[in-house]
Amino acid sequence: MFQKVIFCLFFLFIPLNRAAVNTVANSPFTSSDPVSELAVGEQLFEEMELGGTVNFIAFRQAVAGYNRIKEKNKPILTLIDFSKPSTEKRFFVFDMEKKKLLYSSVVAHGRNSGENYATSFSNQYGSYKSSLGFYLTENTYQGGNGYSLILNGLEKGINDKAKARSIVVHGAPYANPSVAASGRLGRSLGCPALPTKLARPIINTIKDGSVMFIYANNPHYLAQSNILHKN
């Protein structure tokens, strides 16, 4: 089992070039199609011209999970990249059919996950930490933080308590870019909080059954993910 985990980590954290595509034929990330899931992610990354904007490894993992989640209702993929600081744009929304980046924004993380960088994650109620992994978006509601979007965590033990913890997408003044002048955005109670002006249009784009992936350079998550390691 240990050797299998190391093997998977090796392929996720090295750049993939076209000459290497055939070498991953027996990887756990290879689908039944002739072209591996890793190669699909690489091709999309190039076609969408995301270099210099989006983390390639984060995008590749997001695409692999997106393709495996059959319950999705729309061709929209959201990537939150917590390997980036809160002062940088790290919330990305993609139209997977049109192969287009629709939105990029700053986003706040949980107050106990870290300062400018999110480095600690939890699935526990009251932790006030962000949770990694794959989600499906659900319906919207008007709550204490205004217009909000319910998230259904798909990975047991990693983010499946998101709904019970009221982890939702919402807008917040502390997530506005002007706050970052102090050295970091404000922080939430674990929710991915967006700038006030962007929250509604983004929520309306991703609501009702799209895939969201919250990424960090976190070997523990990678070893435990039941979606990235699904056979």
Side-chain angles (χ1 to χ4, degrees):
M1 177 64 183
F2 177 78
Q3 291 178 332
K4 181 178 179 181
V5 170
I6 295 299
F7 184 75
C8 296
L9 289 172
F10 173 78
F11 278 110
L12 280 170
F13 287 92
I14 61 171
L16 182 68
N17 56 46
R18 297 199 180 284
V21 167
N22 290 331
T23 68
V24 297
N26 295 319
S27 166
F29 291 86
T30 303
S31 67
S32 58
D33 297 327
V35 181
S36 73
E37 291 175 353
L38 293 176
V40 168
E42 181 195 23
Q43 182 178 351
L44 278 172
F45 190 85
E46 293 180 356
E47 289 182 6
M48 297 168 73
E49 299 180 343
L50 300 177
T53 302
V54 178
N55 178 338
F56 171 57
I57 293 173
F59 181 78
R60 190 169 64 182
Q61 290 184 21
V63 171
Y66 170 88
N67 287 330
R68 291 180 172 194
I69 295 169
K70 305 306 180 185
E71 298 87 352
K72 60 183 177 289
N73 294 325
K74 57 202 310 185
I76 299 295
L77 170 63
T78 300
L79 167 63
I80 299 175
D81 181 5
F82 280 153
S83 70
K84 295 176 178 286
S86 69
T87 49
E88 294 183 12
K89 292 182 178 180
R90 54 183 185 170
F91 186 105
F92 306 97
V93 180
F94 309 97
D95 186 316
M96 301 299 281
E97 280 189 351
K98 296 180 179 178
K99 300 179 182 178
K100 183 178 179 181
L101 174 62
L102 301 178
Y103 293 99
S104 60
S105 173
V106 296
V107 63
H109 55 255
R111 66 169 61 164
N112 288 337
S113 279
E115 293 290 328
N116 194 24
Y117 284 87
T119 57
S120 181
F121 308 97
S122 176
N123 191 39
Q124 297 304 311
Y125 183 82
S127 68
Y128 299 149
K129 294 184 180 183
S130 301
S131 299
L132 300 178
F134 287 93
Y135 300 76
L136 278 176
T137 64
E138 294 192 350
N139 57 293
T140 61
Y141 68 98
Q142 197 72 27
N145 290 305
Y147 192 55
S148 304
L149 173 64
I150 295 172
L151 298 175
N152 179 19
L154 301 180
E155 302 199 72
K156 187 173 182 180
I158 296 173
N159 62 20
D160 61 322
K161 295 181 181 179
K163 289 174 71 173
R165 295 175 61 204
S166 299
I167 301 302
V168 300
V169 180
H170 63 81
Y174 59 76
N176 291 330
S178 59
V179 177
S182 65
R184 62 166 171 80
L185 287 187
R187 295 166 298 171
S188 69
L189 300 183
C191 300
L194 292 167
T196 309
K197 291 183 178 180
L198 282 176
R200 182 173 290 271
I202 287 178
I203 287 173
N204 284 339
T205 300
I206 69 176
K207 67 181 180 179
D208 298 332
S210 73
V211 173
M212 175 180 287
F213 177 53
I214 301 181
Y215 168 86
N217 184 4
N218 187 289
H220 176 74
Y221 164 73
L222 187 60
Q224 299 296 319
S225 173
N226 66 330
I227 291 179
L228 290 179
H229 291 287
K230 184 185 295 182
N231 291 325

